[in-house]
Amino acid sequence: MGEKGVLVVDEANVVGSVPDGWWRDRRGAAERLRDRLVGVAAGGLGVGSGAPEWAVGVPVEVVLVTEGQARGVASVPGVEVVEAPGSGDDLIARLAAETAGRPCLVVTADRGLRARVEAVGARCVGPRAVRPA
């Protein structure tokens, strides 16, 4: 098998998809998401997640993009955290474009961002793929 596929996660969109009080501690919410993504890195996404076959049940490279008050979250084994210096969407679109022929899946519900990353060949799934409601 070739290189792992890349899963790029829009932290702001995924965290904001469930009204669980994340706005009181944005960084803490991002850390909890990062910790949940460790399992995704090791075992891929689940059947029924809407993910393409290459990302289901197999290890994937996970990149969590943070911005704003979620900055300062550290990477952990299996999950690379990248801080957007400005717009998280701009960084995610750039990362999707730079996957160098590797399969790329972006986790977001943002329609504008979906259009941008799909234009460079990435696929998309919604937040529920990594964060059940």
Side-chain angles (χ1 to χ4, degrees), residues 53-118:
E53 186 176 315
W54 62 260
V56 175
V58 296
V60 293
E61 178 182 332
V62 176
V63 179
L64 177 64
V65 176
T66 62
E67 62 182 303
Q69 294 178 343
R71 288 188 183 102
V73 174
S75 294
V76 296
V79 181
E80 177 184 5
V81 179
V82 180
E83 294 181 357
S87 164
D89 288 2
D90 289 346
L91 178 56
I92 292 166
R94 191 184 91 222
L95 291 171
E98 293 175 351
T99 57
R102 293 168 58 198
C104 180
L105 181 65
V106 175
V107 182
T108 188
D110 181 313
R111 289 182 184 168
L113 179 57
R114 282 176 171 250
R116 291 173 68 185
V117 301
E118 288 171 349

Side-chain angles (χ1 to χ4, degrees), residues 2-62:
E3 291 183 271
K4 292 180 189 176
V6 181
L7 183 74
V8 180
V9 181
D10 180 352
E11 172 273 327
N13 189 269
V14 173
V15 165
S17 69
V18 177
D20 62 1
W22 60 264
W23 51 89
R24 290 188 291 269
D25 181 10
R26 173 90 182 268
R27 185 171 167 187
E31 289 170 338
R32 289 187 296 279
L33 174 59
R34 175 207 58 200
D35 294 347
R36 279 195 299 273
L37 291 172
V38 170
V40 173
L45 294 169
V47 173
S49 65
E53 186 176 315
W54 62 260
V56 175
V58 296
V60 293
E61 178 182 332
V62 176

